[in-house]
Amino acid sequence: MASDNDAFALDLYHIILSITHISKDPNNIVEKVRVPGSYISLRAAKAAAHSCLFDAGYEREFFTEYETNKDVFENRNLPERQGLVVFAVASDGTTFRVRIDTTANSRRLTTDYDDGRIPVPLYYVIQTTVEYSGEKEVSKVKDLNIMDAFVNYQEARRYAEKVLLSEDDALTKESYEAYDEAGPNETDCGYGENVVVHAVGQYGENYSISVIQTHELKNVALAEASMRIL
């Protein structure tokens, strides 16, 4: 809920669950992104991140690897390790990452929940950057960040449509090798569920802008952004 007084946290801490499915076709790697919730304190967010996969119904035995040590993340040079809390791998090679991302609480959201969770569903604008490695002939997610969170879809959508554009930096749609966006009555532009903008930079990097809604992991229907990593 929004607050009109000064008693609100300056920042929000968002839980990001990324699930990477790798099939026999190396060109068919799919990254699914879910946001289980947002919190008003880092401590509360860390507690939620550590229980995230178990709240989703997974058991420890499901994973052949389950790591929470930051030193291990650094030593292994894991991708997307900024804010990484849990890194897990299933027996079929599916990779799970639970991260915490931070944005300003510009809408002065508050909560009465003891666990510090924002009680209302939010709409998140997420930017994913995928880069191509010519040496290994594979693509990988370089960055995945929540740019901002909104209380309604239309406000989030308007923001999402401008993320890759900038008058100050003279960045227009023509600045990219390719630029696709969803139509006014569409929720994706053909590059994955909930991906409303997709662009290709001059050096081949791919940018995807998604708008997804938060839902608790115990819910059957989970909003997610699903993108194919080309």
Side-chain angles (χ1 to χ4, degrees):
M1 62 188 72
S3 172
D4 294 327
N5 55 45
D6 296 330
F8 66 93
L10 295 178
D11 294 318
L12 293 178
Y13 302 89
H14 315 286
I15 308 300
I16 303 175
L17 170 59
S18 301
I19 304 175
T20 305
H21 301 274
I22 304 177
S23 69
K24 294 181 180 179
D25 180 359
N27 294 318
N28 192 28
I29 301 175
V30 175
E31 179 104 342
K32 292 188 175 182
V33 180
R34 298 171 177 173
V35 183
S38 298
Y39 296 80
I40 61 171
S41 76
L42 180 58
R43 181 177 181 179
K46 285 183 177 180
H50 280 289
S51 66
C52 177
L53 293 178
F54 306 116
D55 291 341
Y58 296 103
E59 297 182 357
R60 177 63 181 84
E61 293 73 19
F62 177 79
F63 304 103
T64 57
E65 181 179 357
Y66 189 93
E67 187 59 67
T68 60
N69 190 320
K70 289 185 177 181
D71 292 335
V72 174
F73 300 157
E74 292 294 331
N75 292 337
R76 293 179 55 182
N77 196 28
L78 291 176
E80 300 178 67
R81 64 182 180 275
Q82 182 175 356
L84 187 62
V85 178
V86 177
F87 176 83
V89 181
S91 58
D92 64 354
T94 299
T95 300
F96 299 77
R97 293 179 178 85
V98 183
R99 296 174 47 241
I100 296 175
D101 212 349
T102 307
T103 64
N105 186 10
S106 55
R107 284 151 198 88
R108 299 188 174 189
L109 298 175
T110 61
T111 180
D112 294 327
Y113 288 3
D114 292 337
D115 64 357
R117 189 177 191 274
I118 297 297
V120 296
L122 299 177
Y123 293 89
Y124 303 92
V125 177
I126 297 177
Q127 176 174 331
T128 305
T129 303
V130 176
E131 66 177 8
Y132 175 76
S133 173
E135 180 181 350
K136 296 183 179 180
E137 297 185 352
V138 295
S139 297
K140 64 179 181 180
V141 173
K142 179 181 179 182
D143 293 301
L144 190 155
N145 298 292
I146 293 179
M147 308 303 293
D148 208 341
F150 300 84
V151 294
N152 68 74
Y153 179 82
Q154 292 304 324
E155 188 179 0
R157 178 66 179 269
R158 287 192 293 270
Y159 177 86
E161 292 171 353
K162 299 178 181 179
V163 168
L164 298 178
L165 309 176
S166 171
E167 291 185 3
D168 294 339
D169 297 328
L171 274 177
T172 66
K173 297 177 183 179
E174 289 71 29
S175 302
Y176 298 91
E177 293 295 320
Y179 193 97
D180 297 279
E181 57 186 332
N185 298 318
E186 299 173 334
T187 57
D188 71 74
C189 61
Y191 286 86
E193 188 176 2
N194 296 316
V195 177
V196 296
V197 176
H198 178 269
V200 179
Q202 296 181 351
Y203 298 100
E205 62 274 25
N206 282 247
Y207 303 99
S208 294
I209 309 299
S210 309
V211 178
I212 67 173
Q213 185 181 16
T214 182
H215 284 280
E216 294 184 59
L217 287 175
K218 65 182 180 181
N219 289 347
V220 175
L222 288 169
E224 64 184 22
S226 177
M227 62 208 76
R228 180 177 175 182
I229 303 176
L230 302 175

